[in-house]
Amino acid sequence: QRQMGQRDRQACVSWLAHFDAACMGAGATGLWEQGTYWHLDTRPDELAIIAQHDSALKDAAGAIDRKLKASPYQTLVHGDAKLANFCFSEDGASVAAVDFQYIGAGCGMKDVVYLIGSCLDELACEREESALLDLYFGVLRGALTAQGTDLDLDALECDWRALYPVAWTDFHRFLKGWSPGHWKINGYSERLARQVVASLQEAAQ
């Protein structure tokens, strides 16, 4: 685990926002139908293991996956947007991503939560979530506006902000089956997951 500096985090989040804007609605022809390596369709073994210690999360996994797929705003996600897959300039202000083996269609929040969760501990996630999301959506709006988009940017931001905890819970679901003792499974992740699962349970009643 390496803690990113503030400039590193901002550069990576900005890169993701520009990437998502450039690929908005592009489709995944010739790429993975779903981006990321942890999406539910590819992880039946990990899902089965969750039943031993978090049956509520296991039962909600399908609804979580469907909710992310149902977003009307689909882009291409890098799929493995961790610190090791970014190359920084000497001053840390500029960055480029590498290793696109898991690129495919998806909600941009998948990359954002993976980046934040891979670099920040529990307290830092709590402290910096709001500022990092504000940065991401500010850059995304600016990039889409510069492209001359006809998308409703308020609706896009509202949809994806609501999917931030859902995307986080989706990765949390994978981790709890793959490595139940992983350092990324912390109080912040558990809180978001409980909230998402409870919301889905209430909606299903």
Side-chain angles (χ1 to χ4, degrees), residues 7 31 33 49 51 78 91 126 185 189 194:
R7 181 171 288 187
L31 305 171
E33 185 176 340
I49 292 171
H78 178 282
D91 64 3
E126 295 277 7
I185 300 174
S189 293
R194 285 195 301 270

Side-chain angles (χ1 to χ4, degrees), residues 9-205:
R9 293 191 290 276
Q10 291 174 343
C12 290
V13 168
S14 295
W15 187 93
L16 289 175
H18 280 291
F19 182 73
D20 289 341
C23 299
M24 189 71 66
T29 303
L31 305 171
W32 295 111
E33 185 176 340
Q34 277 197 81
T36 75
Y37 64 85
W38 65 84
H39 67 84
L40 187 61
D41 292 347
T42 64
R43 295 296 181 174
D45 293 341
E46 288 81 3
L47 182 64
I49 292 171
I50 295 175
Q52 301 171 15
H53 47 82
D54 197 336
S55 60
L57 181 58
K58 178 182 183 295
D59 291 343
I64 291 167
D65 185 60
R66 290 190 295 273
K67 200 168 184 67
L68 290 167
K69 290 178 180 175
S71 172
Y73 307 101
Q74 297 287 313
T75 186
L76 295 180
V77 294
H78 178 282
D80 194 11
K82 60 189 176 186
L83 178 61
N85 285 336
F86 286 93
C87 299
F88 294 88
S89 62
E90 286 190 15
D91 64 3
S94 300
V95 66
V98 297
D99 193 0
F100 287 81
Q101 65 175 313
Y102 297 109
I103 186 173
C107 167
M109 289 295 95
K110 289 186 172 185
D111 278 340
V112 173
V113 303
Y114 185 67
L115 173 67
I116 294 175
S118 70
C119 301
L120 298 179
D121 62 21
E122 176 180 356
L123 294 178
C125 284
E126 295 277 7
R127 183 176 63 246
E128 299 197 33
E129 170 194 304
S130 180
L132 289 173
L133 285 176
D134 286 348
L135 171 63
Y136 173 85
F137 283 111
V139 174
L140 182 71
R141 280 174 170 268
L144 286 169
T145 299
Q147 292 171 200
T149 185
D150 58 0
L151 291 174
D152 182 334
L153 298 184
D154 288 338
L156 165 58
E157 181 171 349
C158 182
D159 184 71
W160 277 12
R161 277 188 181 270
L163 288 176
Y164 171 84
V166 179
W168 194 290
T169 304
D170 187 52
F171 183 67
H172 181 72
R173 176 266 313 158
F174 159 70
L175 270 184
K176 291 199 81 169
W178 178 65
S179 180
H182 201 284
W183 67 267
K184 295 180 186 178
I185 300 174
N186 55 42
Y188 176 83
S189 293
E190 292 285 8
R191 176 178 63 80
L192 288 186
R194 285 195 301 270
Q195 291 172 350
V196 168
V197 170
S199 176
L200 291 171
Q201 289 173 335
E202 182 178 346
Q205 292 176 355

